[in-house]
Amino acid sequence: MDVAFHLNVPAPWSARSTYLCRLLAKAYAAGARVWVVVAPDEVAPLDEALWTLPVDDFVPHVRADAAELLRKRSPVVIAGPADPLAGERGVLVNAQPEWPSVLEADGVRFARVVEVVSSDEADKAAARQRWRRYQGMGVSPVAHDRAQRSAPAPAGVGA
């Protein structure tokens, strides 16, 4: 499993949701099947933000509370921290400060995990804990400081 931390993503929701939409659009364009975890109160706003993308950047997606068939077939599923995984996913995007509990589920394997960390100090502190937890699992996370770039890296999502 490859783990990339995207650091210093702007903390205000308007900027962070724009960042997540671009990241998910690039992942979809690369053919990735993504499970994206956000705080419970950010599920609906991210869903809405994805619907407002330009037609050329449309990202087919559903919320984790959608019908099972839709969750399994959609390339991008927006979930809260406690939602159980539905369907095979190659990429996990964790955009909330907690450890993504979906990583604890039996038989769940992701080829890539992208941790989106805002510039908020509490978010950074939580990210340090997650970094150490990945290291404890034998994974060597990679850090990408988003303050140094204007757009997220493409493909299997994350550079």
Side-chain angles (χ1 to χ4, degrees):
M1 169 172 57
D2 292 328
V3 178
F5 277 71
H6 291 206
L7 305 172
N8 291 313
V9 173
W13 175 250
S14 60
R16 204 160 49 88
S17 66
T18 298
Y19 183 88
L20 285 170
C21 286
R22 288 189 326 217
L23 185 72
L24 294 172
K26 289 181 179 190
Y28 170 66
R33 293 185 48 78
V34 182
W35 188 262
V36 58
V37 180
V38 294
D41 62 338
E42 293 174 345
V43 171
L46 181 57
D47 178 33
E48 184 177 324
L50 284 169
W51 281 112
T52 62
L53 289 175
V55 172
D56 293 344
D57 293 329
F58 178 71
V59 176
H61 67 282
V62 297
R63 295 186 200 182
D65 61 1
E68 182 180 359
L69 182 62
L70 291 174
R71 287 191 322 261
K72 286 184 177 181
R73 291 191 175 175
S74 180
V76 175
V77 177
I78 305 167
D83 290 320
L85 184 66
E88 294 261 334
R89 301 286 153 186
V91 178
L92 168 64
V93 174
N94 185 36
Q96 50 92 40
E98 305 300 320
W99 177 257
S101 61
V102 70
L103 288 175
E104 304 298 324
D106 287 337
V108 173
R109 301 288 180 261
F110 292 95
R112 183 152 188 81
V113 176
V114 177
E115 292 276 353
V116 178
V117 182
S118 79
S119 54
D120 177 75
E121 290 304 319
D123 198 12
K124 288 179 183 180
R128 288 184 200 99
Q129 294 296 321
R130 294 192 310 276
W131 182 285
R132 286 191 282 277
R133 190 162 176 182
Y134 286 114
Q135 287 179 319
M137 296 168 56
V139 175
S140 297
V142 176
H144 300 286
D145 189 343
R146 293 305 171 200
Q148 305 298 318
R149 294 178 150 180
S150 60
V157 269

